[in-house]
């Protein structure tokens, strides 16, 4: 799982679309971020939703590989995320730090609202705050995963 951000960039000037396609499995483009529109905010919101889903899929793999079960109750999503901060003696080290947990919990909460609020207007300010956490997460998560792998 690798997420790259290329903010304030112009396709054709800063890089080519062909290069993006060659170097990536999936691409999410937004335009006119300096002049946000409802479509941009909705697109960013869906991207943030899918970003957390990708992390949660990774957590499910870790939980299944090392703990041999993932219970499914009403607090499943928050408990799975919290479980990734725990080092289980003789089984596995912690998968993520409490700092990464905080950033991911913001994404998890946002995803929950997005999934369960059937009719609402997205608050651009709140979406941008969640995006800031996602940007911070992008800077740090690879080191966390590598640290986990090094301790196995």
């Amino acid at each position: 799982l690798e997420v790259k951000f290329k903010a304030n960039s112009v396709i054709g000037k800063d890089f080519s679309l062909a290069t993006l396609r060659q170097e990536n499995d999936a691409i999410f483009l937004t335009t006119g971020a300096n002049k946000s529109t409802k479509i941009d905010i909705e697109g960013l919101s869906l991207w943030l939703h899918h970003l957390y889903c990708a992390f949660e899929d990774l957590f499910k793999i870790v939980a299944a590989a090392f703990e041999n079960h993932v219970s499914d109750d009403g607090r499943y999503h928050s408990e799975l995320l919290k479980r990734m901060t725990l080092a289980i003696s003789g089984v596995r080290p912690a998968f993520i730090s409490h700092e990464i947990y905080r950033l991911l919990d913001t994404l998890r909460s946002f995803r929950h609202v997005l999934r369960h609020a059937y009719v609402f207007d997205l608050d651009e300010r709140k979406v941008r705050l969640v995006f800031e956490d996602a940007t911070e997460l992008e800077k740090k998560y690879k080191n966390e995963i590598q640290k986990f792998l090094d301790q196995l």
Side-chain angles (χ1 to χ4, degrees), residues 37-80:
T37 65
K38 184 174 180 179
I39 292 173
D40 291 336
I41 296 302
E42 288 174 355
L44 179 58
S45 297
L46 287 174
W47 181 83
L48 292 166
H49 170 279
H50 295 324
L51 177 63
Y52 186 77
C53 288
F55 273 102
E56 189 169 271
D57 288 346
L58 183 59
F59 301 154
K60 289 176 189 176
I61 292 168
V62 170
F66 290 96
E67 301 158 47
N68 204 22
H69 74 284
V70 177
S71 62
D72 193 10
D73 60 9
R75 299 185 46 86
Y76 167 77
H77 302 287
S78 60
E79 291 301 319
L80 178 63

Side-chain angles (χ1 to χ4, degrees), residues 25-40:
D25 295 324
I27 302 167
F28 175 78
L29 299 173
T30 63
T31 59
N34 58 337
K35 299 176 185 175
S36 63
T37 65
K38 184 174 180 179
I39 292 173
D40 291 336

